[in-house]
Amino acid sequence: MAKDVPEGITPATRLVTAGRRADWTGTPAEPGAVVNPPVWRASTHLYPDSKALHAGKPNADGHFYYGRRGSPTQWALADALTALEPGAAGTVLYPSGVAALAGALLAVLRPGDVLLMTDNAYEPTRNMGRGLLGDFGIETRWFDPLDPASFEAVIDERCKAVLLESPGSLTLEVCDVPALAAIARAKGLAVVLDNTWAGPLGFPALERGADISVMSLTKHVGGHSDLMLGSAAAGDKYYAKLRRTAQALGQVVSPDDSSLALRGLRTMGLRLNQETSSALELSKWLDSRAEVAKVLCPMLPGSPGHEIWSRDFSGGCGLFSFVFKGKDGAARDAFIDALTLFGIGYSWGGFESLVTPIDPATLRTATQWPLPGMDGADRYGVRLSIGLEGLDDLRADLERGLAAWAAA
Ligand SMILES: *Cc1c(COP(=O)(O)O)cnc(C)c1O
C-alpha cells in the first residue's frame, strides 16, 4: 500500500504523506477531501445486498467486513508505518507494545522450541519468556548481546527465534544487529527486534537483518503520553504469519487511538531530532560531573555502544541513563525528588521529560551489572527521557537534583 508515494522520497516527507490514501480521507464522491483519515468507529460494516454479502469475506489488507478487521482509520496507521519501514510488506497493530511482542513471538514459536533472548530485554519481555512462553512449552535462553561468539555457541537445532533489543532497556547497550541476525538467519532462526528506541527513522530494522520489527507506539509515535499501542512490521516471509496469529488472538485496536497515533507520527521526526539533540548535550554535561560515574547514552562519544550506533543508526532519541558515583538508593531518591521539570514515572518518548530509577542487577541472567570495568560501588542509576522543554531549564533542573544527591 501507499504505492502512490514516489520511490526515493525522504523520511521527513514520508512522515507527512504516509497513510493518507485519498479514498480514506474523503467520500467516494470526493476522495481526499480532508487531510486526515477520519475516525471510523465501526463494529458493523453494511452490505448493499445479499449478493455482495455472499461474495465472501475479504481478508486483504485495507478491506473490511467486520470491525475486528479494522476500519480505514486503523488501516491508515498500519499503512503509514509500513511506508516508513523499508522492506516491510505490512504492519500489524496491537493494543500495546507488549501485545506486539507477544504476537510476534507466538507467530514464530511452537511448543518444544527454544527462544534466545537478549539479556538486556525490556522487563515484561523477559517475564513473557519465563511466564507465558514457558507455560506453552517454549524454553527461553538468555545471552550476552555484546558477544556474538557466545550467541552462536548457544544455538542448537531446537532454537527457532531470537529476540533482540538495541539499545537494550535501562542500560542501553547497542548490539551488532547485522552480525547477530546473520548468524541467526544462517541457522534458520526468525529474528525479532524490539526497535522502540530508534524506530524506523533511526534504525531501518528489516534492512539491517531483522525479520520482524516491533515497536511500542506508546512511546515516540504516540509521543504525547496519552495512548497505548504497538506494532509489528515484517517482509513477505513473516507478514502473513503475523497477521494470522493476531487475527486468531482477536487483536484489534481502537480507531480513536489509531487517529491519535497518526497525528503523533506527523511530528515524530521533529520531536526525535530535538530530543536527540538535547539528550546529547545533557549527557555530555552529566559526563563531565563529579557526581556521575557513567553515562549510558549511545549518542555520546565514549559511551558503551557508541561505535556501533554511529555505524548502524541514522538517528537517536531522548532516552538515556546514568549511574551515580557511589552513595545509595536514598541519595538517588533525593536526586529524583529534587527535580521539578522531570515527571517521575514509567514510560518515555513523550513531549515531556521523565525520570525513573533503574536497578538492572535484578534483571540479568547471562551478563552482569554493574558492567565490566565499572566500580561495583557505582550501581544506583536513573533513566531520563528528555522531552521538548528548553535545554537550559532541563540542565538547571538536573543541577538541582545533583545538589540534593550530594547533600543526601
Ligand atoms: C515500553 C516498552 C515496551 C512495551 O510497550 P507498551 O506499549 O508499554 O506495552 C516494549 N519495549 C520497550 C523497549 C519499551 O520501552
Side-chain angles (χ1 to χ4, degrees):
M1 281 188 277
K3 295 235 167 65
D4 46 348
V5 177
E7 283 297 314
I9 204 167
T10 61
T13 303
R14 209 171 273 276
L15 282 173
V16 172
T17 59
R20 288 172 48 203
R21 275 168 48 163
D23 54 341
W24 293 345
T25 52
T27 59
E30 209 184 339
V34 296
V35 173
N36 297 306
V39 176
W40 278 62
R41 303 191 55 83
S43 54
T44 302
H45 290 265
L46 297 173
Y47 293 84
D49 52 30
S50 346
K51 183 162 171 269
L53 184 139
H54 291 309
K57 299 170 175 170
N59 194 34
D61 285 5
H63 287 264
F64 330 108
Y65 82 89
Y66 180 59
R68 207 171 341 89
R69 297 282 162 91
S71 73
T73 320
Q74 288 98 321
W75 279 111
L77 175 60
D79 201 20
L81 293 169
T82 301
L84 289 167
E85 185 74 60
T91 303
V92 179
L93 301 176
Y94 303 83
S96 70
V98 165
L101 286 158
L105 294 173
L106 291 173
V108 298
L109 291 162
R110 291 294 170 266
D113 290 350
V114 171
L115 166 67
L116 301 178
M117 188 182 290
T118 178
D119 208 29
N120 55 7
Y122 181 60
E123 187 176 359
T125 314
R126 290 177 65 90
N127 295 342
M128 198 185 301
R130 256 192 295 268
L132 177 79
L133 298 179
D135 292 345
F136 285 137
I138 297 162
E139 184 192 331
T140 298
R141 293 180 197 154
W142 279 269
F143 65 92
D144 178 352
L146 301 183
D147 185 1
S150 79
F151 171 67
E152 183 152 26
V154 85
I155 300 177
D156 63 28
E157 68 286 349
R158 282 180 58 213
C159 299
K160 293 295 175 340
V162 57
L163 186 286
L164 299 173
E165 188 184 318
S166 184
S169 274
L170 307 185
T171 43
L172 294 119
E173 297 96 329
V174 183
C175 69
D176 191 338
V177 170
L180 294 171
I183 293 168
R185 281 181 162 195
K187 306 234 177 188
L189 278 68
V191 180
V192 180
L193 174 74
D194 184 335
N195 198 32
T196 302
W197 187 88
L201 299 180
F203 190 80
L206 303 181
E207 279 190 341
R208 297 276 189 273
D211 292 306
I212 300 176
S213 176
V214 175
M215 267 197 294
S216 165
L217 307 180
T218 309
K219 314 291 166 51
H220 301 314
V221 174
H224 295 72
S225 307
D226 53 7
L227 67 86
M228 305 282 307
L229 279 177
S231 68
D236 287 322
K237 187 164 175 207
Y238 287 100
Y239 176 61
K241 248 184 195 179
L242 271 182
R243 180 137 191 257
R244 204 162 47 239
T245 306
Q247 286 188 320
L249 291 168
Q251 294 289 30
V252 61
V253 303
S254 91
D256 306 77
D257 289 341
S258 302
S259 172
L260 283 174
L262 264 175
R263 171 176 286 218
L265 196 63
R266 306 300 175 201
T267 57
M268 183 174 76
L270 276 176
R271 287 186 281 108
L272 284 176
N273 285 343
Q274 181 60 41
E275 288 161 13
T276 301
S277 142
S278 293
L280 182 56
E281 287 306 314
L282 293 171
S283 66
K284 273 185 201 156
W285 178 77
L286 285 164
D287 201 36
S288 73
R289 298 288 303 214
E291 302 91 334
V292 174
K294 190 120 192 113
V295 177
L296 306 167
C297 176
M299 292 98 75
L300 179 70
S303 195
H306 177 70
E307 276 160 32
I308 295 180
W309 179 80
S310 304
R311 185 194 71 185
D312 289 350
F313 287 65
S314 49
C317 73
L319 189 77
F320 70 96
S321 298
F322 73 88
V323 181
F324 294 99
K325 192 162 272 170
K327 292 219 179 197
D328 55 12
R332 175 177 62 188
D333 289 350
F335 168 86
I336 290 175
D337 290 338
L339 300 176
T340 59
L341 293 176
F342 286 78
I344 305 170
Y346 295 105
S347 198
W348 48 280
F351 63 87
E352 85 295 3
S353 293
L354 283 180
V355 59
T356 39
I358 60 165
D359 291 298
T362 58
L363 303 170
R364 298 280 156 158
T365 309
T367 56
Q368 65 176 63
W369 178 262
L371 298 173
M374 280 173 61
D375 184 332
D378 302 334
R379 52 192 316 119
Y380 293 94
V382 291
R383 187 180 73 175
L384 302 178
S385 175
I386 303 301
L388 301 176
E389 301 89 344
L391 181 58
D392 291 342
D393 300 327
L394 291 175
R395 198 187 289 111
D397 211 27
L398 293 172
E399 179 95 60
R400 258 191 296 279
L402 291 177
W405 177 88

